[in-house]
Amino acid sequence: MKLPQSITKLIGSFERLPGIGPKTAQRLTFYLLHFPQEELEVFAESLESLKKDTHLCSICKNVSETDICSVCEDPARDKGTIVVVANSLDSFALERTGFDGVYHVLHGIIDPLNNIGPEEIFVKELIDRVEKLTGEVSLETIDSSKVVEVIMATNMSMEGESTALYISKMLRERGLDESKVKVSRIARGLPVGGDVEYADDITLGRALEGRFELK
Ligand SMILES: [Zn+2]
């Protein structure tokens, strides 16, 4: 028996998603076949606008509806405290802890085994951003009594650790020494191998509070 092409095509699309094997892909497709046409159209429209109507904030690279995201635009946020996360979901998790600084979203993590180097993620953009910010400290556009702090909040995995260390090293190599930039790492409470995204608010809040300086 040959399945209609529109069905095999959708099965193929589902199969590309993480955690979805051929069986689940088939089940989802046939499930959707029973949806009313209008509901399918709403579903299709949200898929279509997912990327089209989403930008990456030009400052922090987080997903945003506008060129500059609501966090970067908020005058009440401390622009001199940047939490570096691997993906947008991690920033949403940290947001629930009441953190009042800003973010930098790398959109990945350095993972040589999967061919992801620093060039594949937004590392350079972070270093440039911090460098620019330290210039502004001396111009007193942000609170000059405070050094810029970069808090590495990547996962407690081997890749997360080495990404944090790599960025720290890059900042120092750019001449941003401890008098200009403090680099710290979230710590306490997060289990080894733990994911930032799945940590509960209290644990994550404590991990942020208990950060230690990366030397
Ligand atoms: Zn932003």
Side-chain angles (χ1 to χ4, degrees):
M1 190 180 81
K2 203 165 165 276
L3 284 169
Q5 221 190 359
S6 54
I7 291 183
T8 49
K9 254 175 80 182
L10 187 57
I11 292 174
S13 299
F14 274 129
E15 273 184 53
R16 296 190 57 194
L17 300 176
I20 297 194
K23 279 257 165 62
T24 312
Q26 288 170 14
R27 212 175 311 131
L28 288 172
T29 303
F30 281 96
Y31 185 78
L32 284 174
L33 209 52
H34 298 294
F35 263 39
Q37 183 61 24
E38 311 86 73
E39 267 186 65
L40 283 181
E41 275 161 24
V42 172
F43 189 33
E45 266 167 41
S46 41
L47 272 183
E48 214 188 319
S49 62
L50 180 67
K51 270 197 102 152
K52 243 180 13 197
D53 298 340
T54 314
H55 305 266
L56 292 188
C57 168
S58 57
I59 299 172
C60 72
K61 306 298 173 196
N62 211 347
V63 285
S64 169
E65 264 177 317
T66 45
D67 179 45
I68 293 178
C69 76
S70 55
V71 170
C72 289
E73 210 161 39
D74 185 351
R77 310 286 296 226
D78 172 10
K79 305 291 189 302
T81 304
I82 304 173
V83 164
V84 179
V85 290
N87 58 59
S88 295
L89 279 174
D90 293 339
S91 73
F92 297 134
L94 282 155
E95 201 61 6
R96 293 196 300 268
T97 68
F99 170 67
D100 69 348
V102 289
Y103 301 97
H104 190 92
V105 184
L106 296 170
H107 290 276
I109 206 135
I110 300 172
D111 184 2
L113 289 179
N114 287 304
N115 291 321
I116 304 170
E119 310 77 33
E120 270 74 48
I121 58 176
F122 290 109
V123 170
K124 187 187 175 293
E125 288 76 5
L126 171 66
I127 312 289
D128 290 347
R129 177 181 174 194
V130 175
E131 188 176 44
K132 193 166 162 249
L133 201 60
T134 53
E136 284 171 13
V137 173
S138 55
L139 294 169
E140 290 180 7
T141 51
I142 67 169
D143 185 2
S144 59
S145 62
K146 201 172 157 287
V147 290
V148 172
E149 182 173 6
V150 177
I151 306 165
M152 305 303 311
T154 46
N155 289 345
M156 300 293 136
S157 60
M158 211 162 77
E159 293 78 22
E161 292 292 351
S162 53
T163 303
L165 287 173
Y166 177 83
I167 290 173
S168 170
K169 201 175 120 224
M170 289 306 288
L171 286 164
R172 299 302 182 223
E173 272 178 18
R174 191 65 80 85
L176 300 163
D177 60 22
E178 280 156 52
S179 68
K180 291 182 180 137
V181 181
K182 186 176 158 192
V183 185
S184 52
R185 178 89 173 103
I186 55 162
R188 203 171 55 186
L190 277 188
V192 172
D195 279 5
V196 170
E197 180 191 336
Y198 301 119
D200 65 275
D201 309 357
I202 297 170
T203 305
L204 201 52
R206 279 195 196 140
L208 195 59
E209 241 171 61
R211 62 189 181 262
F212 59 91
E213 211 162 332
L214 269 185
K215 301 258 184 191

